Amino acid sequence: MSKQGKFIVIEGLDGSGKGTQISRLADALTKRGVNFQLTAEPTSHATGGLIRDALGGVTKRTSAELAGLFLADRIAHCQNSADGIAAMLGRGVNVICDRYYYSSFAYQGMELGLDWVMSANLNCPAILKPDLCIFLDVPTEVADTRISLGRASREIFEEAKTIERVRRKYFEVFGILSGAHNVKIINAARTPDEVFADVWAAVAEILDGTEK
Ligand code: TYD
């Protein structure tokens, strides 16, 4: 009998080391023979392309338009019949998602207020609730330095002042969701090995009872 997969989201500021930790997680899961699929938002589907154009400054969008695009992208991401999150979980595949609605709450909520963005996402029956959200937390200065080292240009949310506001918004959101959502905040201003030890512990706890 096949079991339902677990839905795990990895969140963090730009420059939090999310990419490194996700690739370590993928290696560790592969080594242990865990059935999993990596995915990300914005997606590589059509709406995701519109979002990337807006993030890169190619197309100008209002904050509300962008919030709507992320919402549409997420609905398709969850429900797409071939490779959607719901379909994967139903097949017993564990899904690891790079950013999800917590990013909308922090980034779009910062500009539009939390009420609309949170209720649109949390009350949408087509949008799935994760089993675990891992937030890789770094102070703004660390995020800023890492972005500088890694990029030639910055996207619209990557300016230092914005990063600080986004970080504060994430914490406000986690306060509101406390008790209702399984959020693990991990100090990511340490060595990749130290951070990964905590990431693995959180993931292993969730996968316990499946096929670790
Ligand atoms: P991306 O280039 O994927 O970078 P990262 O590696 O930091 O995830 O950029 C995604 C950007 O989109 C990032 O600045 C956060 C933003 N975003 C939102 O504003 N709202 C959302 O709902 C999501 C999923 C992402």
Side-chain angles (χ1 to χ4, degrees), residues 11-15 18-19 40-42 51-52 55 66 70-71 74 98-108 151 155-158 170:
E11 291 273 354
L13 296 172
D14 304 276
K18 197 160 46 65
E41 293 190 0
I51 293 171
R52 293 217 174 268
L55 291 174
L66 200 50
F70 275 116
L71 188 71
R74 186 161 300 124
D98 180 351
R99 294 192 183 278
Y100 195 60
Y101 52 34
Y102 308 98
S103 285
S104 282
F105 303 161
Y107 291 78
Q108 281 64 58
R151 315 269 166 81
E155 289 185 337
I156 57 173
F157 295 125
E158 295 182 341
Y170 265 118

Side-chain angles (χ1 to χ4, degrees), residues 137-154:
D137 183 39
V138 287
T140 306
E141 313 78 71
V142 174
D144 191 46
T145 308
R146 288 183 184 168
I147 293 170
S148 295
L149 292 173
R151 315 269 166 81
S153 66
R154 292 183 180 223

Side-chain angles (χ1 to χ4, degrees), residues 17 19 25 58 70 77 92 96 108 113-114 133 150 178 187 210:
L25 182 56
V58 177
F70 275 116
H77 194 197
I96 313 291
Q108 281 64 58
L114 286 177
C133 165
S178 155
N187 171 9
T210 56

Side-chain angles (χ1 to χ4, degrees), residues 72-90:
D73 193 39
R74 186 161 300 124
I75 292 171
H77 194 197
C78 285
Q79 300 301 333
N80 185 308
S81 57
D83 61 354
I85 297 170
M88 290 290 170
L89 298 174

